[in-house]
Amino acid sequence: MDRISHLPEHLLLKILSFLPTTKDVVATMVLSKRWQFLWTLVPRLVYDDSHENIKKESFSRFVDRSLLLHEAPLLDYLHFKLSQKSTDVDDIGVWARTISRRHVRELVIEIDRSSCTTQAILPKSLYTVSGMLVTLKLNNMVLLDDVLSFPSLKKLSLDNIMYQGGDESINRLLSNCPVLEHLLVNRGPDDNVTVFTVRVPSLKILYMRDLKDSYGGEMLVIDSRSLESLTIDDCSGVCVVKSEMHNIVTADFDFYDSHSWKILSSITQVKDLCLCLSFSKRSYPSGCVFHRLVNFKLCRCKTQWLNLLMCVLRDSPKLRSLQLYQKNGYQADQPNPIWSELSLVPECLLTSLETLEWTNYEGTKEEKEVVEFILRNGRCLKKVTISTKPTDYDKKLEMIKELALSLRRSPVCQLVFD
């Protein structure tokens, strides 16, 4: 310990910043005189009352005293992880006023509602720290319908939030984040927004996940031209894109509504694409060409995945990597898709496709025909990796033999079985 104590102060503060909670940091004050007040300058504070032996009163007193004694002019990170016994909104408000002049850069508030039936309401006083915030993460609470201003906020995470003013609340919140670049939304059971509109000109990354049990009747509207990464996971409502995304690089879609297929025509500049969709020829946008698509990943758990695969291969002339997978938890008990070989070989098979990776391969007639088609026409193929589903040894050996004997157009193609 003596050797550590002789380190420069900035290194000691960095070491203290790696401790799990502020309680652990404060405990170091008994080590020596040098450490007695060092904790008051640590720019990272984490308050966690999840331990069962902590009483609400003692936890609140500890937070009150430590915040009052803390002297760091800049707080890089402030994290409140609160359970039911300490979600008193007045306490959160007092703590916010205490650190209002500390120039908080990242604020995280998590509330564990596992044994709580009502949500905590975020107090207005908490908004006094909004001026310097760069990152804000909120979980399991009610967001008041106040006009907020987050002039420096670049990353916003909203996890199972109820908005006091419904649709208009989220509109006002996002409109007051002029430099926001990263938005993550987990729409839980308490989310009361019907039309969730994301109109943020500066936004680069959008992750939207729907965790609610209800299906239909909701809408996601995206109007953010600068998006580079877009993820829509398990969306049950309609998704509408108002403008084409010329800067899009990655996109990952898992939704149910057939009207949402039009979103594909807005991301034709995408380079990395992952789809888990129920295919419909009537819904697939005609004339949609992915000129820059290099990596394509397709989930096989939805119906008609095979037809979707052929459409994307046809419309992706520069595709280099293809992955076919199946999400955990889905059962392949649906009717097998009907394989119909294309009259024209997709351009990507003749000029660019280098790798195919197929997980949970079962060796059905349709699957075998798809692999053979790609092997037979893939002029640039370098590696085909097949991972079979657990099955008896003889059946697995037979599948391997069938594919190993298939015609390969590329003389350098390596066939690998996992």
Side-chain angles (χ1 to χ4, degrees):
M1 179 56 66
D2 288 337
R3 294 178 64 183
I4 296 178
S5 297
H6 287 88
L7 290 173
E9 184 176 279
H10 72 279
L11 289 179
L12 293 177
L13 293 176
K14 193 170 185 66
I15 292 172
L16 289 176
S17 295
F18 285 111
L19 293 179
T21 69
T22 299
K23 185 177 181 180
D24 299 314
V25 175
V26 174
T28 63
M29 66 184 296
V30 301
L31 296 176
S32 69
K33 279 190 174 182
R34 175 98 192 268
W35 294 78
Q36 188 173 359
F37 300 105
L38 198 60
W39 71 269
T40 64
L41 300 175
V42 176
R44 183 179 184 276
L45 299 177
V46 179
Y47 296 101
D48 183 357
D49 79 333
S50 59
H51 300 290
E52 295 182 0
N53 58 347
I54 298 180
K55 293 183 179 180
K56 175 181 184 280
E57 294 76 13
S58 60
F59 177 79
S60 296
R61 282 198 301 270
F62 171 73
V63 178
D64 290 340
R65 284 183 56 81
S66 60
L67 285 178
L68 286 171
L69 294 172
H70 197 266
E71 298 178 352
L74 176 67
L75 275 177
D76 292 329
Y77 184 82
L78 178 60
H79 187 169
F80 293 109
K81 189 174 182 179
L82 310 174
S83 64
Q84 181 188 9
K85 58 180 174 288
S86 65
T87 53
D88 187 285
V89 292
D90 293 331
D91 282 347
I92 301 176
V94 170
W95 300 335
R97 285 190 291 271
T98 304
I99 50 97
S100 61
R101 297 182 181 180
R102 298 293 183 83
H103 303 301
V104 182
R105 306 279 289 175
E106 179 171 355
L107 176 62
V108 181
I109 304 178
E110 292 181 84
I111 297 179
D112 180 10
R113 291 186 59 217
S114 58
S115 58
C116 182
T117 57
T118 59
Q119 279 188 317
I121 299 176
L122 202 63
K124 293 182 180 180
S125 55
L126 192 66
Y127 304 148
T128 58
V129 304
S130 64
M132 294 294 292
L133 277 179
V134 176
T135 300
L136 175 62
K137 298 179 182 180
L138 302 176
N139 169 265
N140 284 328
M141 62 189 65
V142 177
L143 202 59
L144 293 176
D145 190 23
D146 286 282
V147 179
L148 313 178
S149 178
F150 295 95
S152 305
L153 194 67
K154 291 192 174 183
K155 185 173 183 179
L156 175 62
S157 176
L158 303 170
D159 190 350
N160 193 32
I161 302 297
M162 178 179 286
Y163 306 89
Q164 190 183 50
D167 296 7
E168 288 303 314
S169 282
I170 191 63
N171 292 341
R172 276 191 285 269
L173 173 61
L174 295 181
S175 65
N176 282 289
C177 303
V179 297
L180 188 66
E181 295 181 354
H182 189 159
L183 175 61
L184 186 152
V185 181
N186 284 315
R187 303 192 65 185
D190 295 310
D191 189 310
N192 59 330
V193 174
T194 303
V195 180
F196 201 112
T197 302
V198 181
R199 186 174 290 110
V200 185
S202 58
L203 197 65
K204 294 182 179 180
I205 300 173
L206 173 60
Y207 177 93
M208 182 74 63
R209 188 181 185 197
D210 193 342
L211 300 173
K212 294 188 286 185
D213 295 330
S214 59
Y215 290 92
E218 297 180 346
M219 181 179 292
L220 169 63
V221 179
I222 302 172
D223 189 4
S224 300
R225 295 176 178 270
S226 300
L227 274 178
E228 297 175 2
S229 177
L230 173 60
T231 300
I232 302 174
D233 187 9
D234 201 25
C235 181
S236 57
V238 178
C239 181
V240 177
V241 176
K242 293 288 189 179
S243 55
E244 190 167 351
M245 305 172 199
H246 296 286
N247 299 327
I248 196 73
V249 176
T250 64
D252 188 341
F253 300 141
D254 179 353
F255 50 70
Y256 298 90
D257 186 83
S258 59
H259 296 91
S260 300
W261 276 88
K262 293 181 181 179
I263 193 173
L264 293 180
S265 60
S266 301
I267 60 160
T268 54
Q269 302 299 313
V270 70
K271 291 183 178 181
D272 296 89
L273 178 63
C274 181
L275 298 179
C276 183
L277 311 172
S278 294
F279 180 77
S280 168
K281 286 187 176 181
R282 291 179 300 175
S283 301
Y284 188 85
S286 60
C288 183
V289 181
F290 303 101
H291 293 285
R292 301 172 62 194
L293 186 61
V294 175
N295 303 306
F296 178 47
K297 189 174 181 180
L298 176 64
C299 179
R300 297 163 31 246
C301 68
K302 300 290 177 67
T303 58
Q304 299 299 313
W305 65 268
L306 191 48
N307 291 328
L308 175 57
L309 171 64
M310 291 298 107
C311 285
V312 176
L313 289 180
R314 180 196 64 198
D315 298 333
S316 307
K318 297 181 180 179
L319 189 68
R320 290 166 53 188
S321 172
L322 173 62
Q323 290 180 268
L324 301 174
Y325 75 107
Q326 193 167 354
K327 277 192 174 180
N328 293 328
Y330 286 86
Q331 300 297 322
D333 56 358
Q334 58 197 17
N336 288 332
I338 300 174
W339 163 250
S340 178
E341 187 167 321
L342 297 175
S343 56
L344 293 176
V345 177
E347 183 180 345
C348 65
L349 289 183
L350 300 173
T351 62
S352 60
L353 189 68
E354 296 179 352
T355 62
L356 166 64
E357 183 179 339
W358 194 312
T359 57
N360 288 332
Y361 179 81
E362 297 181 76
T364 64
K365 178 177 178 291
E366 293 76 21
E367 291 180 345
K368 179 173 173 285
E369 289 175 339
V370 173
V371 176
E372 289 179 340
F373 175 75
I374 294 176
L375 286 171
R376 187 169 64 249
N377 295 286
R379 185 182 295 171
C380 303
L381 274 177
K382 295 180 180 179
K383 188 176 183 180
V384 173
T385 304
I386 306 293
S387 300
T388 58
K389 266 193 171 182
T391 184
D392 64 87
Y393 177 79
D394 292 337
K395 184 177 180 181
K396 186 172 183 178
L397 184 61
E398 184 64 27
M399 287 191 295
I400 293 174
K401 284 181 178 179
E402 287 178 346
L403 294 181
L405 295 173
S406 300
L407 177 65
R408 300 178 219 175
R409 185 164 188 177
S410 170
V412 297
C413 179
Q414 181 183 8
L415 190 57
V416 178
F417 296 93
D418 285 348

